[in-house]
PDB file of all heavy atoms in Angstrom:
ATOM      1  N   ARG A   1    -132.017 -17.478-135.380  1.00  0.00           N
ATOM      2  CA  ARG A   1    -130.661 -17.593-135.926  1.00  0.00           C
ATOM      3  C   ARG A   1    -129.663 -17.995-134.852  1.00  0.00           C
ATOM      4  O   ARG A   1    -128.799 -18.869-135.063  1.00  0.00           O
ATOM      5  CB  ARG A   1    -130.224 -16.265-136.569  1.00  0.00           C
ATOM      6  CG  ARG A   1    -128.928 -16.368-137.339  1.00  0.00           C
ATOM      7  CD  ARG A   1    -128.430 -15.017-137.819  1.00  0.00           C
ATOM      8  NE  ARG A   1    -127.305 -15.202-138.742  1.00  0.00           N
ATOM      9  CZ  ARG A   1    -126.076 -15.502-138.369  1.00  0.00           C
ATOM     10  NH1 ARG A   1    -125.778 -15.652-137.082  1.00  0.00           N
ATOM     11  NH2 ARG A   1    -125.116 -15.661-139.263  1.00  0.00           N
ATOM     12  N   LYS A   2    -129.764 -17.382-133.682  1.00  0.00           N
ATOM     13  CA  LYS A   2    -128.856 -17.679-132.569  1.00  0.00           C
ATOM     14  C   LYS A   2    -128.960 -19.158-132.165  1.00  0.00           C
ATOM     15  O   LYS A   2    -127.946 -19.813-131.880  1.00  0.00           O
ATOM     16  CB  LYS A   2    -129.162 -16.787-131.387  1.00  0.00           C
ATOM     17  CG  LYS A   2    -128.187 -16.946-130.206  1.00  0.00           C
ATOM     18  CD  LYS A   2    -128.508 -15.936-129.109  1.00  0.00           C
ATOM     19  CE  LYS A   2    -127.458 -15.998-128.006  1.00  0.00           C
ATOM     20  NZ  LYS A   2    -127.356 -17.319-127.365  1.00  0.00           N
ATOM     21  N   PHE A   3    -130.202 -19.694-132.163  1.00  0.00           N
ATOM     22  CA  PHE A   3    -130.410 -21.096-131.800  1.00  0.00           C
ATOM     23  C   PHE A   3    -129.680 -21.997-132.792  1.00  0.00           C
ATOM     24  O   PHE A   3    -129.044 -22.995-132.379  1.00  0.00           O
ATOM     25  CB  PHE A   3    -131.911 -21.398-131.804  1.00  0.00           C
ATOM     26  CG  PHE A   3    -132.243 -22.798-131.395  1.00  0.00           C
ATOM     27  CD1 PHE A   3    -132.310 -23.134-130.047  1.00  0.00           C
ATOM     28  CD2 PHE A   3    -132.513 -23.773-132.342  1.00  0.00           C
ATOM     29  CE1 PHE A   3    -132.620 -24.453-129.666  1.00  0.00           C
ATOM     30  CE2 PHE A   3    -132.834 -25.087-131.968  1.00  0.00           C
ATOM     31  CZ  PHE A   3    -132.878 -25.403-130.623  1.00  0.00           C
ATOM     32  N   LEU A   4    -129.735 -21.690-134.071  1.00  0.00           N
ATOM     33  CA  LEU A   4    -129.070 -22.509-135.068  1.00  0.00           C
ATOM     34  C   LEU A   4    -127.554 -22.527-134.859  1.00  0.00           C
ATOM     35  O   LEU A   4    -126.879 -23.570-134.993  1.00  0.00           O
ATOM     36  CB  LEU A   4    -129.342 -21.974-136.491  1.00  0.00           C
ATOM     37  CG  LEU A   4    -130.789 -22.025-136.989  1.00  0.00           C
ATOM     38  CD1 LEU A   4    -130.858 -21.413-138.383  1.00  0.00           C
ATOM     39  CD2 LEU A   4    -131.304 -23.466-137.012  1.00  0.00           C
ATOM     40  N   VAL A   5    -126.990 -21.363-134.522  1.00  0.00           N
ATOM     41  CA  VAL A   5    -125.557 -21.263-134.311  1.00  0.00           C
ATOM     42  C   VAL A   5    -125.164 -21.964-133.026  1.00  0.00           C
ATOM     43  O   VAL A   5    -124.225 -22.781-132.992  1.00  0.00           O
ATOM     44  CB  VAL A   5    -125.126 -19.777-134.283  1.00  0.00           C
ATOM     45  CG1 VAL A   5    -123.655 -19.652-133.898  1.00  0.00           C
ATOM     46  CG2 VAL A   5    -125.382 -19.098-135.631  1.00  0.00           C
ATOM     47  N   ASP A   6    -125.885 -21.693-131.954  1.00  0.00           N
ATOM     48  CA  ASP A   6    -125.522 -22.259-130.650  1.00  0.00           C
ATOM     49  C   ASP A   6    -125.615 -23.787-130.610  1.00  0.00           C
ATOM     50  O   ASP A   6    -124.793 -24.468-130.032  1.00  0.00           O
ATOM     51  CB  ASP A   6    -126.429 -21.681-129.549  1.00  0.00           C
ATOM     52  CG  ASP A   6    -126.152 -20.184-129.285  1.00  0.00           C
ATOM     53  OD1 ASP A   6    -125.127 -19.685-129.765  1.00  0.00           O
ATOM     54  OD2 ASP A   6    -126.968 -19.566-128.575  1.00  0.00           O
ATOM     55  N   LYS A   7    -126.642 -24.329-131.300  1.00  0.00           N
ATOM     56  CA  LYS A   7    -126.878 -25.761-131.316  1.00  0.00           C
ATOM     57  C   LYS A   7    -126.147 -26.481-132.470  1.00  0.00           C
ATOM     58  O   LYS A   7    -126.261 -27.689-132.618  1.00  0.00           O
ATOM     59  CB  LYS A   7    -128.373 -26.061-131.392  1.00  0.00           C
ATOM     60  CG  LYS A   7    -129.172 -25.592-130.178  1.00  0.00           C
ATOM     61  CD  LYS A   7    -129.148 -26.603-129.064  1.00  0.00           C
ATOM     62  CE  LYS A   7    -129.994 -27.804-129.367  1.00  0.00           C
ATOM     63  NZ  LYS A   7    -130.055 -28.745-128.225  1.00  0.00           N
ATOM     64  N   GLN A   8    -125.427 -25.685-133.276  1.00  0.00           N
ATOM     65  CA  GLN A   8    -124.703 -26.258-134.421  1.00  0.00           C
ATOM     66  C   GLN A   8    -125.612 -27.124-135.317  1.00  0.00           C
ATOM     67  O   GLN A   8    -125.326 -28.266-135.608  1.00  0.00           O
ATOM     68  CB  GLN A   8    -123.506 -27.075-133.956  1.00  0.00           C
ATOM     69  CG  GLN A   8    -122.501 -26.241-133.169  1.00  0.00           C
ATOM     70  CD  GLN A   8    -121.239 -27.018-132.820  1.00  0.00           C
ATOM     71  OE1 GLN A   8    -120.947 -28.046-133.399  1.00  0.00           O
ATOM     72  NE2 GLN A   8    -120.474 -26.538-131.858  1.00  0.00           N
ATOM     73  N   ILE A   9    -126.726 -26.496-135.733  1.00  0.00           N
ATOM     74  CA  ILE A   9    -127.720 -27.242-136.529  1.00  0.00           C
ATOM     75  C   ILE A   9    -127.427 -27.177-138.026  1.00  0.00           C
ATOM     76  O   ILE A   9    -127.638 -28.140-138.753  1.00  0.00           O
ATOM     77  CB  ILE A   9    -129.133 -26.690-136.193  1.00  0.00           C
ATOM     78  CG1 ILE A   9    -129.531 -27.201-134.782  1.00  0.00           C
ATOM     79  CG2 ILE A   9    -130.161 -27.112-137.240  1.00  0.00           C
ATOM     80  CD1 ILE A   9    -130.817 -26.651-134.265  1.00  0.00           C
ATOM     81  N   VAL A  10    -126.965 -26.022-138.494  1.00  0.00           N
ATOM     82  CA  VAL A  10    -126.646 -25.880-139.913  1.00  0.00           C
ATOM     83  C   VAL A  10    -125.720 -24.695-140.072  1.00  0.00           C
ATOM     84  O   VAL A  10    -125.767 -23.740-139.277  1.00  0.00           O
ATOM     85  CB  VAL A  10    -127.930 -25.676-140.754  1.00  0.00           C
ATOM     86  CG1 VAL A  10    -128.612 -24.365-140.424  1.00  0.00           C
ATOM     87  CG2 VAL A  10    -127.648 -25.766-142.261  1.00  0.00           C
ATOM     88  N   THR A  11    -124.840 -24.739-141.043  1.00  0.00           N
ATOM     89  CA  THR A  11    -123.968 -23.602-141.332  1.00  0.00           C
ATOM     90  C   THR A  11    -124.760 -22.516-142.059  1.00  0.00           C
ATOM     91  O   THR A  11    -125.501 -22.809-142.998  1.00  0.00           O
ATOM     92  CB  THR A  11    -122.786 -24.048-142.208  1.00  0.00           C
ATOM     93  OG1 THR A  11    -122.054 -25.052-141.506  1.00  0.00           O
ATOM     94  CG2 THR A  11    -121.858 -22.873-142.503  1.00  0.00           C
ATOM     95  N   ILE A  12    -124.629 -21.280-141.602  1.00  0.00           N
ATOM     96  CA  ILE A  12    -125.310 -20.137-142.241  1.00  0.00           C
ATOM     97  C   ILE A  12    -124.283 -19.296-142.964  1.00  0.00           C
ATOM     98  O   ILE A  12    -123.397 -18.695-142.324  1.00  0.00           O
ATOM     99  CB  ILE A  12    -126.062 -19.298-141.193  1.00  0.00           C
ATOM    100  CG1 ILE A  12    -126.973 -20.158-140.321  1.00  0.00           C
ATOM    101  CG2 ILE A  12    -126.842 -18.178-141.851  1.00  0.00           C
ATOM    102  CD1 ILE A  12    -127.586 -19.446-139.148  1.00  0.00           C
ATOM    103  N   PRO A  13    -124.315 -19.271-144.290  1.00  0.00           N
ATOM    104  CA  PRO A  13    -123.232 -18.636-145.063  1.00  0.00           C
ATOM    105  C   PRO A  13    -123.203 -17.117-145.046  1.00  0.00           C
ATOM    106  O   PRO A  13    -122.413 -16.511-145.733  1.00  0.00           O
ATOM    107  CB  PRO A  13    -123.478 -19.139-146.502  1.00  0.00           C
ATOM    108  CG  PRO A  13    -124.434 -20.252-146.379  1.00  0.00           C
ATOM    109  CD  PRO A  13    -125.247 -19.965-145.158  1.00  0.00           C
ATOM    110  N   SER A  14    -124.056 -16.477-144.251  1.00  0.00           N
ATOM    111  CA  SER A  14    -124.100 -15.005-144.241  1.00  0.00           C
ATOM    112  C   SER A  14    -124.623 -14.514-142.898  1.00  0.00           C
ATOM    113  O   SER A  14    -125.400 -15.196-142.211  1.00  0.00           O
ATOM    114  CB  SER A  14    -125.029 -14.493-145.352  1.00  0.00           C
ATOM    115  OG  SER A  14    -125.264 -13.099-145.241  1.00  0.00           O
ATOM    116  N   THR A  15    -124.182 -13.314-142.515  1.00  0.00           N
ATOM    117  CA  THR A  15    -124.692 -12.703-141.271  1.00  0.00           C
ATOM    118  C   THR A  15    -125.808 -11.704-141.559  1.00  0.00           C
ATOM    119  O   THR A  15    -126.392 -11.140-140.644  1.00  0.00           O
ATOM    120  CB  THR A  15    -123.544 -11.983-140.540  1.00  0.00           C
ATOM    121  OG1 THR A  15    -122.987 -10.961-141.404  1.00  0.00           O
ATOM    122  CG2 THR A  15    -122.459 -12.942-140.098  1.00  0.00           C
ATOM    123  N   VAL A  16    -126.103 -11.501-142.845  1.00  0.00           N
ATOM    124  CA  VAL A  16    -127.156 -10.527-143.229  1.00  0.00           C
ATOM    125  C   VAL A  16    -128.533 -11.090-142.866  1.00  0.00           C
ATOM    126  O   VAL A  16    -128.798 -12.290-143.092  1.00  0.00           O
ATOM    127  CB  VAL A  16    -127.080 -10.224-144.731  1.00  0.00           C
ATOM    128  CG1 VAL A  16    -128.214  -9.288-145.151  1.00  0.00           C
ATOM    129  CG2 VAL A  16    -125.726  -9.636-145.075  1.00  0.00           C
ATOM    130  N   MET A  17    -129.394 -10.255-142.322  1.00  0.00           N
ATOM    131  CA  MET A  17    -130.737 -10.687-141.949  1.00  0.00           C
ATOM    132  C   MET A  17    -131.738 -10.336-143.044  1.00  0.00           C
ATOM    133  O   MET A  17    -131.604  -9.284-143.697  1.00  0.00           O
ATOM    134  CB  MET A  17    -131.181 -10.018-140.629  1.00  0.00           C
ATOM    135  CG  MET A  17    -130.310 -10.361-139.456  1.00  0.00           C
ATOM    136  SD  MET A  17    -130.508 -12.067-138.904  1.00  0.00           S
ATOM    137  CE  MET A  17    -132.024 -11.947-137.984  1.00  0.00           C
ATOM    138  N   PRO A  18    -132.770 -11.181-143.250  1.00  0.00           N
ATOM    139  CA  PRO A  18    -133.793 -10.807-144.250  1.00  0.00           C
ATOM    140  C   PRO A  18    -134.661  -9.649-143.731  1.00  0.00           C
ATOM    141  O   PRO A  18    -134.775  -9.416-142.521  1.00  0.00           O
ATOM    142  CB  PRO A  18    -134.630 -12.117-144.351  1.00  0.00           C
ATOM    143  CG  PRO A  18    -134.397 -12.812-143.074  1.00  0.00           C
ATOM    144  CD  PRO A  18    -133.019 -12.468-142.617  1.00  0.00           C
ATOM    145  N   ILE A  19    -135.255  -8.920-144.670  1.00  0.00           N
ATOM    146  CA  ILE A  19    -136.079  -7.764-144.367  1.00  0.00           C
ATOM    147  C   ILE A  19    -137.544  -8.192-144.449  1.00  0.00           C
ATOM    148  O   ILE A  19    -137.993  -8.668-145.496  1.00  0.00           O
ATOM    149  CB  ILE A  19    -135.788  -6.619-145.358  1.00  0.00           C
ATOM    150  CG1 ILE A  19    -134.328  -6.217-145.292  1.00  0.00           C
ATOM    151  CG2 ILE A  19    -136.709  -5.419-145.102  1.00  0.00           C
ATOM    152  CD1 ILE A  19    -133.876  -5.373-146.470  1.00  0.00           C
ATOM    153  N   VAL A  20    -138.295  -7.995-143.415  1.00  0.00           N
ATOM    154  CA  VAL A  20    -139.718  -8.341-143.395  1.00  0.00           C
ATOM    155  C   VAL A  20    -140.491  -7.202-144.034  1.00  0.00           C
ATOM    156  O   VAL A  20    -140.351  -6.023-143.652  1.00  0.00           O
ATOM    157  CB  VAL A  20    -140.224  -8.600-141.970  1.00  0.00           C
ATOM    158  CG1 VAL A  20    -141.713  -8.942-141.988  1.00  0.00           C
ATOM    159  CG2 VAL A  20    -139.441  -9.745-141.333  1.00  0.00           C
ATOM    160  N   GLN A  21    -141.318  -7.527-145.002  1.00  0.00           N
ATOM    161  CA  GLN A  21    -142.128  -6.500-145.708  1.00  0.00           C
ATOM    162  C   GLN A  21    -143.493  -7.128-146.086  1.00  0.00           C
ATOM    163  O   GLN A  21    -143.681  -8.340-146.039  1.00  0.00           O
ATOM    164  CB  GLN A  21    -141.418  -6.033-146.974  1.00  0.00           C
ATOM    165  CG  GLN A  21    -141.276  -7.089-148.072  1.00  0.00           C
ATOM    166  CD  GLN A  21    -140.759  -6.557-149.392  1.00  0.00           C
ATOM    167  OE1 GLN A  21    -140.197  -5.455-149.450  1.00  0.00           O
ATOM    168  NE2 GLN A  21    -140.967  -7.291-150.468  1.00  0.00           N
ATOM    169  N   GLU A  22    -144.401  -6.248-146.476  1.00  0.00           N
ATOM    170  CA  GLU A  22    -145.708  -6.727-146.909  1.00  0.00           C
ATOM    171  C   GLU A  22    -145.600  -7.407-148.248  1.00  0.00           C
ATOM    172  O   GLU A  22    -144.857  -6.984-149.133  1.00  0.00           O
ATOM    173  CB  GLU A  22    -146.700  -5.548-147.003  1.00  0.00           C
ATOM    174  CG  GLU A  22    -148.115  -5.991-147.292  1.00  0.00           C
ATOM    175  CD  GLU A  22    -149.127  -4.841-147.219  1.00  0.00           C
ATOM    176  OE1 GLU A  22    -148.727  -3.687-146.913  1.00  0.00           O
ATOM    177  OE2 GLU A  22    -150.311  -5.122-147.456  1.00  0.00           O
ATOM    178  N   SER A  23    -146.358  -8.490-148.426  1.00  0.00           N
ATOM    179  CA  SER A  23    -146.308  -9.235-149.698  1.00  0.00           C
ATOM    180  C   SER A  23    -146.726  -8.340-150.870  1.00  0.00           C
ATOM    181  O   SER A  23    -147.642  -7.534-150.723  1.00  0.00           O
ATOM    182  CB  SER A  23    -147.265 -10.440-149.640  1.00  0.00           C
ATOM    183  OG  SER A  23    -146.873 -11.353-148.668  1.00  0.00           O
ATOM    184  N   PRO A  24    -146.060  -8.483-152.022  1.00  0.00           N
ATOM    185  CA  PRO A  24    -146.495  -7.738-153.203  1.00  0.00           C
ATOM    186  C   PRO A  24    -147.931  -8.082-153.550  1.00  0.00           C
ATOM    187  O   PRO A  24    -148.396  -9.209-153.259  1.00  0.00           O
ATOM    188  CB  PRO A  24    -145.544  -8.232-154.297  1.00  0.00           C
ATOM    189  CG  PRO A  24    -144.356  -8.768-153.554  1.00  0.00           C
ATOM    190  CD  PRO A  24    -144.887  -9.311-152.261  1.00  0.00           C
ATOM    191  N   PRO A  25    -148.657  -7.146-154.147  1.00  0.00           N
ATOM    192  CA  PRO A  25    -150.102  -7.369-154.374  1.00  0.00           C
ATOM    193  C   PRO A  25    -150.444  -8.582-155.233  1.00  0.00           C
ATOM    194  O   PRO A  25    -151.454  -9.232-155.009  1.00  0.00           O
ATOM    195  CB  PRO A  25    -150.542  -6.071-155.062  1.00  0.00           C
ATOM    196  CG  PRO A  25    -149.292  -5.429-155.553  1.00  0.00           C
ATOM    197  CD  PRO A  25    -148.226  -5.822-154.604  1.00  0.00           C
ATOM    198  N   PHE A  26    -149.566  -8.911-156.190  1.00  0.00           N
ATOM    199  CA  PHE A  26    -149.894 -10.027-157.086  1.00  0.00           C
ATOM    200  C   PHE A  26    -149.671 -11.383-156.417  1.00  0.00           C
ATOM    201  O   PHE A  26    -149.971 -12.422-156.991  1.00  0.00           O
ATOM    202  CB  PHE A  26    -149.045  -9.959-158.361  1.00  0.00           C
ATOM    203  CG  PHE A  26    -147.555  -9.911-158.133  1.00  0.00           C
ATOM    204  CD1 PHE A  26    -146.812 -11.060-158.069  1.00  0.00           C
ATOM    205  CD2 PHE A  26    -146.936  -8.676-157.978  1.00  0.00           C
ATOM    206  CE1 PHE A  26    -145.466 -11.007-157.863  1.00  0.00           C
ATOM    207  CE2 PHE A  26    -145.569  -8.626-157.759  1.00  0.00           C
ATOM    208  CZ  PHE A  26    -144.826  -9.783-157.715  1.00  0.00           C
ATOM    209  N   MET A  27    -149.156 -11.405-155.186  1.00  0.00           N
ATOM    210  CA  MET A  27    -148.940 -12.638-154.465  1.00  0.00           C
ATOM    211  C   MET A  27    -149.966 -12.845-153.339  1.00  0.00           C
ATOM    212  O   MET A  27    -149.975 -13.892-152.692  1.00  0.00           O
ATOM    213  CB  MET A  27    -147.541 -12.666-153.856  1.00  0.00           C
ATOM    214  CG  MET A  27    -146.422 -12.639-154.888  1.00  0.00           C
ATOM    215  SD  MET A  27    -144.793 -12.383-154.152  1.00  0.00           S
ATOM    216  CE  MET A  27    -144.623 -13.816-153.129  1.00  0.00           C
ATOM    217  N   ARG A  28    -150.802 -11.867-153.116  1.00  0.00           N
ATOM    218  CA  ARG A  28    -151.669 -11.867-151.932  1.00  0.00           C
ATOM    219  C   ARG A  28    -152.709 -12.993-151.939  1.00  0.00           C
ATOM    220  O   ARG A  28    -153.065 -13.527-150.891  1.00  0.00           O
ATOM    221  CB  ARG A  28    -152.393 -10.538-151.797  1.00  0.00           C
ATOM    222  CG  ARG A  28    -151.513  -9.379-151.435  1.00  0.00           C
ATOM    223  CD  ARG A  28    -152.370  -8.097-151.275  1.00  0.00           C
ATOM    224  NE  ARG A  28    -153.441  -8.303-150.328  1.00  0.00           N
ATOM    225  CZ  ARG A  28    -153.325  -8.148-149.013  1.00  0.00           C
ATOM    226  NH1 ARG A  28    -152.185  -7.800-148.521  1.00  0.00           N
ATOM    227  NH2 ARG A  28    -154.345  -8.350-148.224  1.00  0.00           N
ATOM    228  N   ALA A  29    -153.199 -13.370-153.106  1.00  0.00           N
ATOM    229  CA  ALA A  29    -154.328 -14.278-153.171  1.00  0.00           C
ATOM    230  C   ALA A  29    -153.999 -15.687-152.645  1.00  0.00           C
ATOM    231  O   ALA A  29    -154.873 -16.377-152.153  1.00  0.00           O
ATOM    232  CB  ALA A  29    -154.853 -14.370-154.593  1.00  0.00           C
ATOM    233  N   PHE A  30    -152.742 -16.090-152.738  1.00  0.00           N
ATOM    234  CA  PHE A  30    -152.414 -17.473-152.498  1.00  0.00           C
ATOM    235  C   PHE A  30    -151.457 -17.733-151.354  1.00  0.00           C
ATOM    236  O   PHE A  30    -151.174 -18.885-151.034  1.00  0.00           O
ATOM    237  CB  PHE A  30    -151.776 -18.077-153.760  1.00  0.00           C
ATOM    238  CG  PHE A  30    -152.777 -18.431-154.808  1.00  0.00           C
ATOM    239  CD1 PHE A  30    -152.395 -18.494-156.131  1.00  0.00           C
ATOM    240  CD2 PHE A  30    -154.091 -18.682-154.514  1.00  0.00           C
ATOM    241  CE1 PHE A  30    -153.302 -18.807-157.138  1.00  0.00           C
ATOM    242  CE2 PHE A  30    -155.008 -19.017-155.491  1.00  0.00           C
ATOM    243  CZ  PHE A  30    -154.609 -19.065-156.810  1.00  0.00           C
TER     244      PHE A  30
END
């Protein structure tokens, strides 16, 4: 995220970070 801001690559409309979690079971196969 810092690289995007420092290099002015794209505007990021939020400062909230995504939460990393384990994939739900019905998505695991693919």
Side-chain angles (χ1 to χ4, degrees):
R1 188 187 190 283
K2 185 176 185 301
F3 182 82
L4 295 179
V5 174
D6 291 348
K7 295 276 287 185
Q8 299 186 19
I9 286 175
V10 65
T11 300
I12 307 172
S14 171
T15 59
V16 177
M17 298 291 281
I19 301 164
V20 179
Q21 66 172 18
E22 186 172 0
S23 297
F26 56 91
M27 297 170 62
R28 290 182 54 86
F30 283 155

